[in-house]
Amino acid sequence: MKRLIIAFIIITIIMFLLPSVIYSNEADEKPTELDPVEVNMLLKEISGQWDKEYISYPKCSFDYAVIDIDERLIYKSEPGDGSETVVGATKNRDTIRDITCADEVVGRVIIYNNVDEIETKVVNKLYKYYLMSAGMAVFFLFAVITLIYLRVIRPFDKMKDFAEAVSAGDLDKPLQMDRKHVFGAFTESFDIMREELKQAREKELAANISKKELVAQLSHDIKTPVSSIKAMSEVLAAKEDRDAVRDKLVAIGAKADQIDSLVSNLFVSTLEELEKLEVNGEEMESTKLVKFIRDADYNNKVTEFEIPECLIFCDHLRVSQVISNIIYNSYKYADTDIYISGKIDMDYLFLSITDRGGGVSVEELNLITQKYKRGANAEGKQGTGLGLFISKELMENMQGSLEVANADGGFRVILGFKIA
């Protein structure tokens, strides 16, 4: 603090002495020296044309005026307040040269030296430097007072606020570390403590989210094979003639329903705590979509179709999950043949999946892709209203899209895959 005060005094003295030094240097400033050759050429050219009716006055690096022997103004290079008489030019310390013709003085050239302008500039600069000095002195005085406040008084308040924020659970606001005041070491230690607490909390949160995502992924992916078991048990039970075997197959279907209900409850409770499911995108051949469709179509409802060959950006697991979701919904709500077509438009491969189940009302089209929203045709059927919501979110996380529409007497889902 002592060094700071001494520095303030020295700087203040320098700032007030500076204008005097500047003035002593600039007070000696002189008009720009004239080039004798240029002046002589000007006189020679004017005197050579003096007897002519029209005189061509040349441009020079200086301003000048031409008067005749009776001090009448004949020419002035620049309009202004410059002297137009010998007396005025002498007073202003301008240069006066005679114009001679046949050894007779016929006029004079007054060359303006702008001495008054130079003096005005020096005075203005001196005034400006004095104002700057006064301003700097006030600034440094304010700086000293401010630093005393910051180094002694304010650290108490900052440490108090920091302790209250940490105790309230706010670990994002750092404590400014400054070793130059008496509490510098404490602020550094306190902020290190805050960072360690924040990292511990982030690791704990990340671990919890990872566990919940794993539970959500597994619980949702289990639904598809369980549905396949249920459908196969129903088909086998319908074809089985032996009562004992048929009863066992019916029991298998009932247990599959029970597992599906339990998994759905687990999935819903877990998903409520998550913002989104993780997606790891990579390039994939579009022809692999055929396998995903065939694997999901365990009831053989999908008719023949073709998909254009290209490379798309997606997550294999998530694409399989999306397609299984859509086909399973078609089984559950439409139970008709499923028609699939693919086309390339701009930078996307669009895959259209359509059933013939009558579709949904126009009012419901904009709702059924939202969380927990189901169409009127879902009444009496198990479901959570999350299938299309999750599928849409997964497609968007893969830089794609999912759109729904009523078409061809049924419900259509259009998946857009970004071409890699």
Side-chain angles (χ1 to χ4, degrees), residues 84-306:
E84 300 174 0
T85 64
V86 174
V87 175
T90 304
K91 182 179 179 181
N92 293 335
R93 289 177 284 181
D94 294 331
T95 301
I96 304 173
R97 295 292 298 272
D98 293 335
I99 302 172
T100 60
C101 288
D103 296 330
E104 180 183 355
V105 177
V106 296
R108 292 178 176 86
V109 173
I110 301 175
I111 300 174
Y112 300 129
N113 293 324
N114 302 321
V115 175
D116 291 340
E117 182 180 347
I118 293 173
E119 289 181 350
T120 302
K121 288 182 178 179
V122 172
V123 172
N124 289 339
K125 283 186 178 181
L126 186 63
Y127 179 71
K128 179 180 68 175
Y129 284 125
Y130 269 119
L131 288 179
M132 290 175 58
S133 299
M136 292 296 292
V138 172
F139 170 78
F140 278 108
L141 178 61
F142 176 77
V144 170
I145 296 173
T146 302
L147 287 175
I148 292 174
Y149 167 76
L150 293 175
R151 300 297 172 85
V152 179
I153 301 173
R154 190 176 179 184
F156 285 105
D157 295 334
K158 293 179 69 174
M159 292 180 66
K160 177 185 175 183
D161 295 339
F162 175 78
E164 291 177 352
V166 171
S167 63
D170 183 6
L171 301 177
D172 294 325
K173 185 179 180 181
L175 178 63
Q176 184 179 1
M177 292 181 287
D178 189 351
R179 296 184 179 182
K180 294 180 182 180
H181 58 69
V182 293
F183 305 105
F186 291 100
T187 58
E188 183 176 6
S189 300
F190 280 11
D191 200 62
I192 291 174
M193 176 191 69
R194 177 194 65 82
E195 287 287 348
E196 292 179 351
L197 289 173
K198 181 180 178 181
Q199 291 176 6
R201 176 177 290 184
E202 289 175 349
K203 289 179 181 179
E204 180 182 4
L205 180 61
N208 289 334
I209 291 176
S210 179
K211 292 176 183 178
K212 292 171 184 177
E213 285 184 345
L214 179 61
V215 172
Q217 293 171 12
L218 292 176
S219 60
H220 192 275
D221 292 342
I222 287 172
K223 291 173 65 67
T224 298
V226 168
S227 299
S228 300
I229 293 172
K230 177 183 175 182
M232 292 177 184
S233 65
E234 291 176 352
V235 171
L236 292 175
K239 295 182 179 180
E240 183 59 51
D241 295 331
R242 293 169 293 179
D243 292 340
V245 176
R246 185 168 55 252
D247 291 342
K248 291 180 180 179
L249 292 172
V250 171
I252 291 173
K255 292 297 181 182
D257 283 337
Q258 185 178 0
I259 293 172
D260 184 69
S261 178
L262 293 173
V263 170
S264 296
N265 292 335
L266 176 62
F267 179 72
V268 171
S269 63
T270 304
L271 190 66
E272 287 177 347
E273 302 178 23
L274 295 174
E275 291 295 329
K276 62 180 181 180
L277 297 176
E278 185 179 356
V279 168
N280 297 312
E282 59 182 350
E283 292 183 0
M284 185 188 80
E285 295 179 0
S286 61
T287 53
K288 290 186 178 180
L289 294 175
V290 177
K291 182 179 184 304
F292 295 154
I293 294 170
R294 294 305 183 194
D295 290 344
D297 183 29
Y298 54 82
N299 278 347
N300 297 320
K301 295 285 188 178
V302 177
T303 61
E304 292 298 323
F305 63 93
E306 291 185 3

Side-chain angles (χ1 to χ4, degrees), residues 57-73:
Y57 295 97
K59 290 186 178 180
C60 299
S61 60
F62 48 80
D63 294 331
Y64 66 93
V66 179
I67 60 176
D68 61 13
I69 197 65
D70 296 324
E71 297 194 2
R72 291 190 295 260
L73 179 66

Side-chain angles (χ1 to χ4, degrees), residues 2 32 34 38 67 88 102 129 141 191 197 217 222 237 245 272 286 303 317 337 362 364-365 368 375-376 390 410 413:
K2 291 180 180 179
T32 304
L34 297 174
E38 186 178 13
I67 60 176
Y129 284 125
L141 178 61
D191 200 62
L197 289 173
Q217 293 171 12
I222 287 172
V245 176
E272 287 177 347
S286 61
T303 61
L317 176 63
D337 287 343
V362 177
E364 294 174 335
L365 277 177
I368 57 176
I390 294 173
V413 179

